[in-house]
Amino acid sequence: MPTSAPGLLDEHEQLRSRVEEVRDRAVKAAPWTPRSPLHGRFGPRTDIPLSDADNAFYAGAQAQVTAFADLCLSLLSLHQPRDGGGLSSGPTPAVQRCTCCMLLWPCPTIREMTRLLT
């Protein structure tokens, strides 16, 4: 996998770093359940009733965010830039392709992930 200049992350590395941060926060977060100290305190108001659906959503959110981040990291492992094998003359950078789908880099998968996650 190509790497960036020292101290600089390319777009793929930035996206991977962002997803890893989300995953780490999700793994470290305490699950939010009706028995947790935050129950019934959503923002500055404490009189907002939470439905069973709300409680179910919050209870499963940690695991779902972690699973979603794992999916994103798997996609990023599959879709990486590589040298496209073409010749370049002068200072123009070599053409890159995706290692998975072989489309020009960044491939549609990475473009869409970048658009949605950054």
Side-chain angles (χ1 to χ4, degrees):
M1 178 172 130
T3 57
S4 306
L8 298 175
L9 297 178
D10 67 20
E11 289 180 38
H12 187 265
E13 292 166 329
Q14 289 174 2
L15 187 56
R16 174 179 292 286
S17 177
R18 173 127 171 96
V19 172
E20 286 173 344
E21 288 172 11
V22 169
R23 187 187 187 291
D24 289 346
R25 284 194 312 266
V27 167
K28 292 175 186 175
W32 194 90
T33 66
R35 292 180 186 85
S36 73
L38 296 177
H39 178 66
R41 292 176 50 203
F42 191 67
R45 295 184 58 189
T46 59
D47 60 344
I48 300 172
L50 294 177
S51 69
D52 289 340
D54 293 333
N55 286 326
F57 171 78
Y58 290 118
Q62 181 184 26
Q64 291 170 351
V65 168
T66 302
F68 178 74
D70 287 340
L71 168 66
C72 290
L73 291 171
S74 293
L75 287 171
L76 287 166
S77 292
L78 289 171
H79 294 268
Q80 298 183 42
R82 75 176 197 94
D83 184 356
L87 298 174
S88 75
S89 61
T92 59
V95 173
Q96 289 186 317
R97 295 196 173 269
C98 176
T99 56
C100 182
C101 58
M102 293 305 294
L103 297 172
L104 288 176
W105 187 258
C107 68
T109 300
I110 296 301
R111 282 196 310 268
E112 190 66 6
M113 286 179 70
T114 301
R115 184 182 73 79
L116 293 170
L117 299 174
T118 57

